Amino acid sequence: MRNMMLWGLLSLLPMQLSAQVNPKKGYVITNTNDTIYGTVDYLTDWENAESCLFRKSGGQDFKRLLPSDIGGYCLDGEGVCYVSRELKTGSVTQRQFAEYLLKGGVSLFRYYYDGDNYYGFVDTNGKEVVMRDDKLNEDLSRYTEKLPLLKVRNILPMKSE
């Protein structure tokens, strides 16, 4: 009976391991700005910030790429793109992947560190402001009383009662 239970549990292990893969067509951007197409294993916010699991087109195995290895990675046709950046969170500065949400005169990116989401705003001169998610929501909620149209349409977070 014990052997049957052990065999049953062991037979589930391959399904558990394969269930953790979330392959998406995508590409990586090398540090020399070359583009390599293939498959990105799209994981959790934390895992996406730490590394990129990438398999070249026609390849067999995924390779773990760190923010120091590549300039970034993107998912084809999904509007999701991560770039390698030196990010400062409190007194800690480290290279991570940050998700670009908006690129323009003032670019907006998001990254995950130590259980919190952070948002960074970068202007064309490179000036950068970073805010933790709860701080950003608190600051924006102060303006919802002055902007009732935005409050009604739920574009900005509403102040909780």
Side-chain angles (χ1 to χ4, degrees):
M1 182 68 161
R2 266 190 188 167
N3 287 341
M4 288 181 73
M5 286 177 48
L6 181 60
W7 179 253
L9 289 173
L10 288 175
S11 68
L12 294 175
L13 186 59
M15 288 190 302
Q16 179 67 23
L17 292 176
S18 66
Q20 295 175 358
V21 177
N22 186 17
K24 305 276 186 179
K25 288 190 182 288
Y27 56 91
V28 297
I29 302 162
T30 67
N31 287 327
T32 57
N33 286 325
D34 291 327
T35 303
I36 303 170
Y37 290 91
T39 303
V40 173
D41 190 4
Y42 190 58
L43 302 169
T44 65
D45 287 341
W46 177 79
E47 291 167 313
N48 290 333
E50 295 290 320
S51 65
C52 169
L53 289 175
F54 181 73
R55 179 177 59 208
K56 288 182 185 178
S57 292
Q60 294 287 332
D61 298 320
F62 282 94
K63 180 179 179 183
R64 182 174 305 278
L65 301 170
L66 301 175
S68 58
D69 298 331
I70 58 174
Y73 65 97
C74 301
L75 303 182
D76 263 352
E78 297 199 28
V80 176
C81 194
Y82 288 84
V83 293
S84 177
R85 296 186 55 90
E86 286 289 329
L87 301 169
K88 186 171 183 176
T89 308
S91 62
V92 177
T93 299
Q94 66 181 32
R95 184 164 286 283
Q96 280 188 266
F97 289 117
E99 182 181 6
Y100 251 105
L101 302 175
L102 178 67
K103 191 170 185 175
V106 174
S107 296
L108 171 63
F109 62 90
R110 178 184 68 89
Y111 64 99
Y112 185 82
Y113 175 77
D114 199 26
D116 290 313
N117 279 309
Y118 290 82
Y119 291 88
F121 302 86
V122 182
D123 69 13
T124 54
N125 296 323
K127 185 175 179 182
E128 185 173 323
V129 175
V130 175
M131 298 178 82
R132 197 173 66 221
D133 189 15
D134 61 338
K135 174 74 172 138
L136 179 65
N137 286 339
E138 178 185 309
D139 288 347
L140 288 175
S141 68
R142 282 189 261 164
Y143 301 104
T144 59
E145 293 171 8
K146 296 178 183 175
L147 301 170
L149 181 61
L150 295 177
K151 188 174 181 179
V152 170
R153 291 186 179 173
N154 291 324
I155 295 172
L156 294 175
M158 293 175 52
K159 191 173 186 176
S160 46
E161 311 304 345

